[in-house]
Amino acid sequence: MMKNIIFVLLLFKSLFCTIILAKNVLLIVADDGGFETQVYGNPVCKTPHLDKLASKSTIFKNAFTSVSSCSPSRSSILTGLPQHQNGMYGLHQDIHHFNSFDEVKSLSKLMKMKNIYSGIIGKKHVGPENVYPFDFAYTEETNSINQVGRNITKIKDLVHEFFSTLNHSQPFFLYVAFHDPHRCGHTNPEYGEFCEKFGNGEEGMGIIPDWKPEHYKPEDVIVPYFIPDTPTARADIAAQYTTLSRLDQGIGLVLKELKEFNHDNDTLVIYTSDNGIPFPSGRTNLYDPGMAEPFLMHLPQQTYSQVSEEMVSLLDIVPTILEWFNVKYPDYKLNGMPVQLSGKSLLQSTSLKKSEAVFASHNLHEVTMYYPIRVVRTNSYKLIHNLNFKMPFPIDQDFFISPTFQDLLNRTVEKKETHWYKNLTDYYYRPEWELFDLEKDSNERYNVVNNAAYHSIRTTLQKMLLDWQISTNDPWICSPSGVLENKGRFKENPTCLPLYNGV
Ligand SMILES: [Ca+2]
């Protein structure tokens, strides 16, 4: 009896403390970060600060982005809406110029409306400003992206400044968006393929005082199944690891500032990445190397680590943070259609319960790269719909010039062994539908969509995907075999009218 009373008291104390203290959010997002960490099973790449965070976090093993492209993913993280619903169909910068719809109620906008102090440090890459306002902002819009996204001493100082300007009665939402470990050979080749030399103290590289670069030998790196095992790719991965050491040490500095300002016991901390790593089948793809993401969630005063196998989406971040702040998602319409969040809060996710599925939606990356894809993924299966399947899969400028892809191109042209699990022809030309049995084929090698044994699975997944597209007002719902008519006499009954185009 006494034991039970003590247990109830302890439970009450724990809930009470959580209710009183739980008021802030720190969201840390890596740029093109993957699973090159001990916590996700890579013993070579040294990431002690992420490991430390993981030791007191829920480690999600089945977390997925809804789109494997930077701006679209960041817009989805900050709005809880897939790219086809929030309007950020491709990259935001320069000629690409994609933006979310003006009426979208993003997280930072909702935070401002509720008088929660919002800050962004690092890569913003979304717009327009009126949809994504922050009270405290140091981003590529007004600074060098390498300074605010890779110079971890500068990032530490900005986090310090954020906390110094904070009114302590005010809750905060701080979004630290590192630019590491993104490639930089396309824009700043002088710093190496992954900017792994930027700030390393060598002549002409500048110095980041807080960074102690880790170096790796190409022969020591772990080559994932989707990357060709060649000396070139190994050197590329070794550079990526060095940049990851800067990200990891930067995260350590941010968390140290959080502690020094006494917010380590009242802040929900989430760590994830916007999209897959910049290698074949990774970024801009919705195969698992492009879609699966690291995801750690630390609750205030959490002192233990636990693993969750639950299927989670980066679309779940907005519902999670809104529940955390007890903010209701507003009722409103976008382009005349009511808006609902399709994600779920993860605050109750500690019981290892399994969600049915996650969904993904990709349209472009760069403006020239129109290749819409829709995906549903369960624990056991993945169904991919390549809407523009008759077109070769497009390749972005940054990835094109990378050593790994150049090596792959050269080896293919010269008819040499590629040491890759695919060939370029299959990579470029994909069937309209791809279905993978992930329990037997976790590397997504064998498309079973036309296998009669999977007919009912295919039908079920197609129905789930269609339902999600309807619930998220996907304008591509009839593509590629029909045209959606939803105005005039079709207003009350939107219909896909057939094109008879043979698809
Ligand atoms: Ca990215």
Side-chain angles (χ1 to χ4, degrees):
M1 181 66 184
M2 185 51 82
K3 234 179 175 177
N4 286 346
I5 291 171
I6 291 170
F7 175 75
V8 170
L9 283 174
L10 282 174
L11 184 69
F12 178 76
K13 183 170 176 280
S14 144
L15 288 171
F16 184 74
C17 288
T18 305
I19 290 162
I20 294 299
L21 296 172
K23 58 175 189 174
N24 306 309
V25 171
L26 170 63
L27 172 61
I28 302 172
V29 174
D31 199 354
D32 300 3
F35 297 93
E36 303 76 21
T37 54
Q38 280 91 73
V39 56
Y40 283 104
N42 182 321
V44 178
C45 187
K46 298 188 189 99
T47 50
H49 299 283
L50 275 169
D51 276 6
K52 192 174 167 197
L53 176 62
S55 71
K56 48 187 182 173
S57 297
T58 302
I59 302 160
F60 290 96
K61 294 276 185 173
N62 288 301
F64 299 90
T65 182
S66 71
V67 53
S68 195
S69 171
C70 195
S71 301
S73 177
R74 282 155 201 270
S75 73
S76 297
I77 289 170
L78 290 175
T79 66
L81 306 176
Q83 57 86 27
H84 64 245
Q85 191 174 21
N86 78 55
M88 182 75 69
Y89 304 133
L91 298 179
H92 175 64
Q93 88 279 9
D94 304 334
I95 198 169
H96 316 295
H97 199 61
F98 289 98
N99 283 280
S100 291
F101 298 119
D102 290 331
E103 301 78 17
V104 170
K105 309 277 191 218
S106 77
L107 196 53
S108 66
K109 193 155 190 167
L110 294 173
M111 299 293 98
K112 264 184 95 71
M113 287 162 67
K114 295 291 174 182
N115 200 30
I116 295 163
Y117 190 60
S118 62
I120 177 170
I121 297 167
K123 184 169 180 177
K124 189 173 182 187
H125 216 199
V126 290
E129 174 64 25
N130 68 316
V131 172
Y132 300 100
F134 285 88
D135 296 312
F136 179 99
Y138 285 86
T139 71
E140 78 281 5
E141 292 176 350
T142 49
N143 298 268
S144 142
I145 184 61
N146 283 341
Q147 287 302 324
V148 293
R150 299 193 199 257
N151 181 343
I152 59 174
T153 298
K154 171 94 173 166
I155 293 166
K156 174 189 78 174
D157 292 344
L158 288 172
V159 171
H160 190 93
E161 193 183 327
F162 173 83
F163 288 132
S164 303
T165 57
L166 179 68
N167 173 347
H168 282 274
S169 64
Q170 201 179 6
F172 68 80
F173 165 59
L174 176 59
Y175 173 36
V176 181
F178 287 88
H179 192 26
D180 284 331
H182 195 284
R183 286 184 181 277
C184 85
H186 171 58
T187 53
N188 291 93
E190 69 274 22
Y191 295 130
E193 289 305 323
F194 280 86
C195 268
E196 70 277 9
K197 297 173 188 166
F198 173 71
N200 72 358
E202 289 174 16
E203 194 180 344
M205 296 297 116
I207 186 155
I208 299 172
D210 288 289
W211 181 36
K212 294 174 190 65
E214 296 280 355
H215 297 289
Y216 299 87
K217 293 181 189 155
E219 59 267 33
D220 292 339
V221 304
I222 294 171
V223 182
Y225 68 88
F226 52 91
I227 299 179
D229 193 349
T230 61
T232 304
R234 283 178 168 271
D236 221 8
I237 296 169
Q240 179 205 25
Y241 282 11
T242 295
T243 299
L244 269 153
S245 76
R246 194 168 53 212
L247 168 72
D248 180 72
Q249 290 171 36
I251 289 170
L253 294 171
V254 171
L255 294 175
K256 194 166 167 230
E257 288 298 320
L258 189 74
K259 190 174 169 68
E260 284 182 4
F261 280 88
N262 292 318
H263 286 303
D264 55 331
N265 283 327
D266 61 13
T267 302
L268 171 73
V269 180
I270 293 173
Y271 166 74
T272 189
S273 170
D274 61 344
N275 51 253
I277 63 175
F279 285 91
S281 296
R283 190 183 66 196
T284 75
N285 286 268
L286 289 173
Y287 299 120
D288 272 9
M291 190 171 160
E293 302 300 340
F295 196 113
L296 307 175
M297 185 172 79
H298 165 73
L299 297 169
Q301 300 173 335
Q302 183 176 347
T303 54
Y304 57 90
S305 150
Q306 65 179 357
V307 170
S308 171
E309 302 287 342
E310 187 178 353
M311 301 287 292
V312 306
S313 166
L314 302 197
L315 293 173
D316 298 335
I317 290 174
V318 165
T320 302
I321 293 177
L322 291 183
E323 186 186 357
W324 185 257
F325 284 122
N326 198 22
V327 172
K328 189 176 168 294
Y329 192 68
D331 288 328
Y332 71 106
K333 289 185 174 181
L334 267 179
N335 300 315
M337 305 292 282
V339 179
Q340 286 180 323
L341 296 174
S342 64
K344 62 189 180 298
S345 170
L346 303 177
L347 295 182
Q348 310 302 324
S349 71
T350 51
S351 57
L352 305 185
K353 70 175 188 286
K354 288 190 178 180
S355 292
E356 201 174 17
V358 294
F359 300 88
S361 160
H362 176 97
N363 276 3
L364 298 102
H365 180 67
E366 293 169 357
V367 68
T368 52
M369 295 172 61
Y370 183 66
Y371 199 86
I373 313 172
R374 300 294 181 268
V375 171
V376 52
R377 192 198 189 282
T378 67
N379 258 310
S380 307
Y381 300 100
K382 181 191 273 184
L383 180 74
I384 299 177
H385 191 191
N386 297 306
L387 306 185
N388 233 21
F389 65 100
K390 295 206 174 185
M391 188 182 116
F393 184 78
I395 304 294
D396 63 271
Q397 295 175 328
D398 178 61
F399 175 58
F400 177 82
I401 214 157
S402 70
T404 297
F405 191 67
Q406 283 295 307
D407 188 41
L408 192 52
L409 280 180
N410 291 335
R411 284 172 181 269
T412 302
V413 170
E414 293 165 11
K415 299 193 184 337
K416 286 184 182 163
E417 174 59 60
T418 61
H419 303 285
W420 193 34
Y421 78 137
K422 292 188 177 182
N423 63 59
L424 270 184
T425 304
D426 291 343
Y427 191 70
Y428 285 144
Y429 294 97
R430 304 175 182 190
E432 180 181 4
W433 293 97
E434 295 174 272
L435 174 61
F436 299 107
D437 182 342
L438 301 171
E439 286 178 8
K440 292 181 185 161
D441 177 27
S442 61
N443 295 356
E444 303 167 298
R445 297 287 307 278
Y446 306 103
N447 182 10
V448 294
V449 77
N450 294 319
N451 183 330
Y454 291 89
H455 179 74
S456 71
I457 300 285
R458 170 185 175 158
T459 308
T460 302
L461 292 173
Q462 282 178 322
K463 169 81 170 56
M464 287 167 73
L465 186 56
L466 183 66
D467 287 347
W468 183 70
Q469 289 184 268
I470 292 171
S471 72
T472 55
N473 305 328
D474 188 353
W476 279 260
I477 197 154
C478 304
S479 182
S481 60
V483 166
L484 173 65
E485 291 292 350
N486 59 1
K487 300 226 164 36
R489 65 191 170 96
F490 294 99
K491 192 172 179 194
E492 298 306 317
N493 186 25
T495 306
C496 288
L497 296 176
L499 284 162
Y500 304 107
N501 59 7
V503 175

mmCIF file of all heavy atoms in Angstrom, residues 3 17-18 20 22 31 66 70 75-76 81 85 97 122 199 225 261 279 281-282 297-298 313 362 373 386 425 444:
data_model
loop_
_atom_site.group_PDB
_atom_site.id
_atom_site.type_symbol
_atom_site.label_atom_id
_atom_site.label_comp_id
_atom_site.label_asym_id
_atom_site.label_seq_id
_atom_site.Cartn_x
_atom_site.Cartn_y
_atom_site.Cartn_z
ATOM 1 N N LYS A 3 3.927 1.438 -0.761
ATOM 2 C CA LYS A 3 4.690 1.448 -2.009
ATOM 3 C C LYS A 3 3.885 2.127 -3.123
ATOM 4 O O LYS A 3 4.385 2.944 -3.884
ATOM 5 C CB LYS A 3 4.989 -0.007 -2.420
ATOM 6 C CG LYS A 3 6.451 -0.286 -2.655
ATOM 7 C CD LYS A 3 6.598 -1.732 -3.013
ATOM 8 C CE LYS A 3 8.033 -2.018 -3.387
ATOM 9 N NZ LYS A 3 8.236 -3.416 -3.681
ATOM 10 N N CYS A 17 6.297 18.339 -12.284
ATOM 11 C CA CYS A 17 7.530 19.012 -12.705
ATOM 12 C C CYS A 17 7.514 19.243 -14.204
ATOM 13 O O CYS A 17 7.896 20.293 -14.689
ATOM 14 C CB CYS A 17 8.754 18.189 -12.336
ATOM 15 S SG CYS A 17 9.054 18.224 -10.569
ATOM 16 N N THR A 18 7.049 18.212 -14.937
ATOM 17 C CA THR A 18 7.036 18.329 -16.389
ATOM 18 C C THR A 18 6.111 19.462 -16.810
ATOM 19 O O THR A 18 6.444 20.283 -17.650
ATOM 20 C CB THR A 18 6.586 16.991 -17.016
ATOM 21 O OG1 THR A 18 7.422 15.976 -16.524
ATOM 22 C CG2 THR A 18 6.687 17.053 -18.532
ATOM 23 N N ILE A 20 5.145 22.062 -15.044
ATOM 24 C CA ILE A 20 5.652 23.372 -14.650
ATOM 25 C C ILE A 20 6.844 23.802 -15.512
ATOM 26 O O ILE A 20 6.934 24.925 -15.960
ATOM 27 C CB ILE A 20 6.100 23.346 -13.161
ATOM 28 C CG1 ILE A 20 4.890 23.133 -12.264
ATOM 29 C CG2 ILE A 20 6.815 24.629 -12.767
ATOM 30 C CD1 ILE A 20 3.846 24.211 -12.349
ATOM 31 N N ALA A 22 8.083 22.293 -18.411
ATOM 32 C CA ALA A 22 8.139 22.053 -19.846
ATOM 33 C C ALA A 22 7.595 23.249 -20.598
ATOM 34 O O ALA A 22 6.398 23.437 -20.697
ATOM 35 C CB ALA A 22 7.313 20.814 -20.166
ATOM 36 N N ASP A 31 21.954 19.460 -42.137
ATOM 37 C CA ASP A 31 21.696 19.640 -43.573
ATOM 38 C C ASP A 31 22.288 18.449 -44.327
ATOM 39 O O ASP A 31 23.512 18.310 -44.403
ATOM 40 C CB ASP A 31 22.353 20.957 -44.031
ATOM 41 C CG ASP A 31 21.794 21.469 -45.330
ATOM 42 O OD1 ASP A 31 20.985 20.761 -45.952
ATOM 43 O OD2 ASP A 31 22.169 22.592 -45.726
ATOM 44 N N SER A 66 9.330 13.788 -45.311
ATOM 45 C CA SER A 66 8.235 13.686 -46.283
ATOM 46 C C SER A 66 8.703 14.105 -47.663
ATOM 47 O O SER A 66 7.951 13.967 -48.633
ATOM 48 C CB SER A 66 7.044 14.543 -45.845
ATOM 49 O OG SER A 66 7.355 15.915 -45.988
ATOM 50 N N CYS A 70 15.974 20.119 -49.813
ATOM 51 C CA CYS A 70 16.171 21.041 -48.700
ATOM 52 C C CYS A 70 14.988 21.960 -48.389
ATOM 53 O O CYS A 70 14.374 21.857 -47.345
ATOM 54 C CB CYS A 70 17.420 21.863 -48.990
ATOM 55 S SG CYS A 70 17.982 22.701 -47.548
ATOM 56 N N SER A 75 10.278 23.456 -45.308
ATOM 57 C CA SER A 75 8.925 24.014 -45.260
ATOM 58 C C SER A 75 7.975 23.005 -44.612
ATOM 59 O O SER A 75 7.077 23.391 -43.865
ATOM 60 C CB SER A 75 8.446 24.383 -46.670
ATOM 61 O OG SER A 75 8.137 23.229 -47.425
ATOM 62 N N SER A 76 8.189 21.721 -44.874
ATOM 63 C CA SER A 76 7.327 20.694 -44.273
ATOM 64 C C SER A 76 7.578 20.567 -42.772
ATOM 65 O O SER A 76 6.644 20.392 -41.993
ATOM 66 C CB SER A 76 7.570 19.342 -44.940
ATOM 67 O OG SER A 76 7.230 19.410 -46.297
ATOM 68 N N LEU A 81 2.934 20.525 -43.197
ATOM 69 C CA LEU A 81 2.189 20.225 -44.426
ATOM 70 C C LEU A 81 3.171 19.742 -45.493
ATOM 71 O O LEU A 81 4.249 20.341 -45.659
ATOM 72 C CB LEU A 81 1.480 21.481 -44.949
ATOM 73 C CG LEU A 81 0.569 22.218 -43.960
ATOM 74 C CD1 LEU A 81 0.028 23.499 -44.600
ATOM 75 C CD2 LEU A 81 -0.576 21.315 -43.512
ATOM 76 N N GLN A 85 1.203 20.693 -50.520
ATOM 77 C CA GLN A 85 0.121 21.423 -49.856
ATOM 78 C C GLN A 85 0.569 22.823 -49.423
ATOM 79 O O GLN A 85 -0.217 23.760 -49.487
ATOM 80 C CB GLN A 85 -0.369 20.621 -48.636
ATOM 81 C CG GLN A 85 -1.653 21.157 -48.030
ATOM 82 C CD GLN A 85 -2.187 20.253 -46.933
ATOM 83 O OE1 GLN A 85 -1.451 19.448 -46.347
ATOM 84 N NE2 GLN A 85 -3.480 20.364 -46.641
ATOM 85 N N HIS A 97 13.444 29.942 -56.618
ATOM 86 C CA HIS A 97 12.449 30.909 -56.159
ATOM 87 C C HIS A 97 11.121 30.316 -55.682
ATOM 88 O O HIS A 97 10.072 30.950 -55.767
ATOM 89 C CB HIS A 97 12.176 31.925 -57.278
ATOM 90 C CG HIS A 97 11.544 33.194 -56.775
ATOM 91 N ND1 HIS A 97 12.140 34.018 -55.869
ATOM 92 C CD2 HIS A 97 10.353 33.777 -57.058
ATOM 93 C CE1 HIS A 97 11.357 35.037 -55.619
ATOM 94 N NE2 HIS A 97 10.256 34.921 -56.314
ATOM 95 N N GLY A 122 21.222 29.923 -38.581
ATOM 96 C CA GLY A 122 21.707 29.018 -39.622
ATOM 97 C C GLY A 122 20.885 29.103 -40.885
ATOM 98 O O GLY A 122 20.463 30.178 -41.298
ATOM 99 N N GLY A 199 37.721 26.514 -41.881
ATOM 100 C CA GLY A 199 37.951 26.818 -40.469
ATOM 101 C C GLY A 199 38.828 25.818 -39.735
ATOM 102 O O GLY A 199 38.845 25.786 -38.508
ATOM 103 N N TYR A 225 25.442 0.402 -48.539
ATOM 104 C CA TYR A 225 25.160 -0.455 -49.709
ATOM 105 C C TYR A 225 24.831 0.345 -50.971
ATOM 106 O O TYR A 225 25.007 -0.139 -52.081
ATOM 107 C CB TYR A 225 24.003 -1.418 -49.396
ATOM 108 C CG TYR A 225 22.661 -0.729 -49.223
ATOM 109 C CD1 TYR A 225 21.832 -0.493 -50.321
ATOM 110 C CD2 TYR A 225 22.227 -0.307 -47.976
ATOM 111 C CE1 TYR A 225 20.609 0.150 -50.166
ATOM 112 C CE2 TYR A 225 21.011 0.333 -47.809
ATOM 113 C CZ TYR A 225 20.208 0.560 -48.916
ATOM 114 O OH TYR A 225 19.007 1.202 -48.764
ATOM 115 N N PHE A 261 22.414 28.516 -19.481
ATOM 116 C CA PHE A 261 21.300 29.446 -19.236
ATOM 117 C C PHE A 261 20.150 28.762 -18.486
ATOM 118 O O PHE A 261 19.032 29.270 -18.451
ATOM 119 C CB PHE A 261 20.816 30.050 -20.557
ATOM 120 C CG PHE A 261 21.686 31.189 -21.033
ATOM 121 C CD1 PHE A 261 22.801 30.952 -21.818
ATOM 122 C CD2 PHE A 261 21.395 32.512 -20.662
ATOM 123 C CE1 PHE A 261 23.619 31.998 -22.246
ATOM 124 C CE2 PHE A 261 22.207 33.562 -21.084
ATOM 125 C CZ PHE A 261 23.322 33.306 -21.882
ATOM 126 N N PHE A 279 24.409 11.401 -51.905
ATOM 127 C CA PHE A 279 25.034 10.294 -52.624
ATOM 128 C C PHE A 279 23.942 9.622 -53.469
ATOM 129 O O PHE A 279 22.757 9.911 -53.277
ATOM 130 C CB PHE A 279 25.647 9.299 -51.614
ATOM 131 C CG PHE A 279 26.925 9.790 -50.986
ATOM 132 C CD1 PHE A 279 26.903 10.514 -49.793
ATOM 133 C CD2 PHE A 279 28.155 9.553 -51.597
ATOM 134 C CE1 PHE A 279 28.082 10.987 -49.216
ATOM 135 C CE2 PHE A 279 29.341 10.019 -51.027
ATOM 136 C CZ PHE A 279 29.305 10.737 -49.849
ATOM 137 N N SER A 281 20.959 7.535 -54.789
ATOM 138 C CA SER A 281 19.783 7.015 -54.069
ATOM 139 C C SER A 281 19.473 7.811 -52.795
ATOM 140 O O SER A 281 18.503 7.495 -52.104
ATOM 141 C CB SER A 281 19.905 5.525 -53.704
ATOM 142 O OG SER A 281 19.959 4.748 -54.865
ATOM 143 N N GLY A 282 20.287 8.822 -52.481
ATOM 144 C CA GLY A 282 20.056 9.628 -51.283
ATOM 145 C C GLY A 282 19.219 10.857 -51.607
ATOM 146 O O GLY A 282 18.110 10.740 -52.148
ATOM 147 N N MET A 297 14.687 12.609 -29.643
ATOM 148 C CA MET A 297 13.812 13.539 -28.913
ATOM 149 C C MET A 297 14.089 13.406 -27.414
ATOM 150 O O MET A 297 13.921 12.329 -26.841
ATOM 151 C CB MET A 297 12.344 13.244 -29.220
ATOM 152 C CG MET A 297 11.411 14.267 -28.586
ATOM 153 S SD MET A 297 9.698 14.067 -29.124
ATOM 154 C CE MET A 297 9.212 12.697 -28.092
ATOM 155 N N HIS A 298 14.519 14.505 -26.836
ATOM 156 C CA HIS A 298 14.858 14.529 -25.406
ATOM 157 C C HIS A 298 13.821 15.367 -24.664
ATOM 158 O O HIS A 298 13.601 16.549 -24.978
ATOM 159 C CB HIS A 298 16.256 15.133 -25.214
ATOM 160 C CG HIS A 298 16.550 15.536 -23.811
ATOM 161 N ND1 HIS A 298 16.804 14.620 -22.808
ATOM 162 C CD2 HIS A 298 16.608 16.760 -23.225
ATOM 163 C CE1 HIS A 298 17.011 15.280 -21.670
ATOM 164 N NE2 HIS A 298 16.899 16.564 -21.897
ATOM 165 N N SER A 313 7.252 10.657 -38.920
ATOM 166 C CA SER A 313 7.524 11.520 -40.067
ATOM 167 C C SER A 313 7.986 12.872 -39.549
ATOM 168 O O SER A 313 7.596 13.290 -38.457
ATOM 169 C CB SER A 313 6.230 11.681 -40.877
ATOM 170 O OG SER A 313 6.373 12.742 -41.798
ATOM 171 N N HIS A 362 7.339 14.433 -53.406
ATOM 172 C CA HIS A 362 8.429 15.221 -53.991
ATOM 173 C C HIS A 362 7.968 15.762 -55.343
ATOM 174 O O HIS A 362 7.299 15.053 -56.092
ATOM 175 C CB HIS A 362 9.643 14.295 -54.179
ATOM 176 C CG HIS A 362 10.822 14.925 -54.853
ATOM 177 N ND1 HIS A 362 11.882 15.446 -54.161
ATOM 178 C CD2 HIS A 362 11.107 15.122 -56.166
ATOM 179 C CE1 HIS A 362 12.780 15.938 -55.019
ATOM 180 N NE2 HIS A 362 12.328 15.757 -56.244
ATOM 181 N N ILE A 373 7.051 12.551 -57.262
ATOM 182 C CA ILE A 373 6.999 11.189 -56.691
ATOM 183 C C ILE A 373 6.052 11.226 -55.483
ATOM 184 O O ILE A 373 6.061 12.203 -54.722
ATOM 185 C CB ILE A 373 8.389 10.718 -56.177
ATOM 186 C CG1 ILE A 373 9.498 10.992 -57.190
ATOM 187 C CG2 ILE A 373 8.364 9.245 -55.812
ATOM 188 C CD1 ILE A 373 10.916 10.727 -56.634
ATOM 189 N N ASN A 386 6.097 7.000 -59.359
ATOM 190 C CA ASN A 386 6.889 7.969 -60.134
ATOM 191 C C ASN A 386 5.993 8.541 -61.229
ATOM 192 O O ASN A 386 5.750 7.886 -62.246
ATOM 193 C CB ASN A 386 8.105 7.263 -60.759
ATOM 194 C CG ASN A 386 9.045 6.706 -59.704
ATOM 195 O OD1 ASN A 386 9.496 7.431 -58.823
ATOM 196 N ND2 ASN A 386 9.337 5.414 -59.774
ATOM 197 N N THR A 425 21.461 3.328 -66.113
ATOM 198 C CA THR A 425 20.230 3.261 -66.906
ATOM 199 C C THR A 425 19.026 3.010 -66.003
ATOM 200 O O THR A 425 18.004 3.691 -66.103
ATOM 201 C CB THR A 425 20.343 2.145 -67.972
ATOM 202 O OG1 THR A 425 21.504 2.420 -68.755
ATOM 203 C CG2 THR A 425 19.122 2.109 -68.866
ATOM 204 N N GLU A 444 15.803 -2.350 -51.138
ATOM 205 C CA GLU A 444 14.926 -1.913 -52.232
ATOM 206 C C GLU A 444 15.531 -2.255 -53.605
ATOM 207 O O GLU A 444 15.650 -1.402 -54.490
ATOM 208 C CB GLU A 444 14.634 -0.408 -52.117
ATOM 209 C CG GLU A 444 14.009 -0.027 -50.792
ATOM 210 C CD GLU A 444 13.987 1.467 -50.513
ATOM 211 O OE1 GLU A 444 15.091 2.068 -50.421
ATOM 212 O OE2 GLU A 444 12.911 2.035 -50.382
#
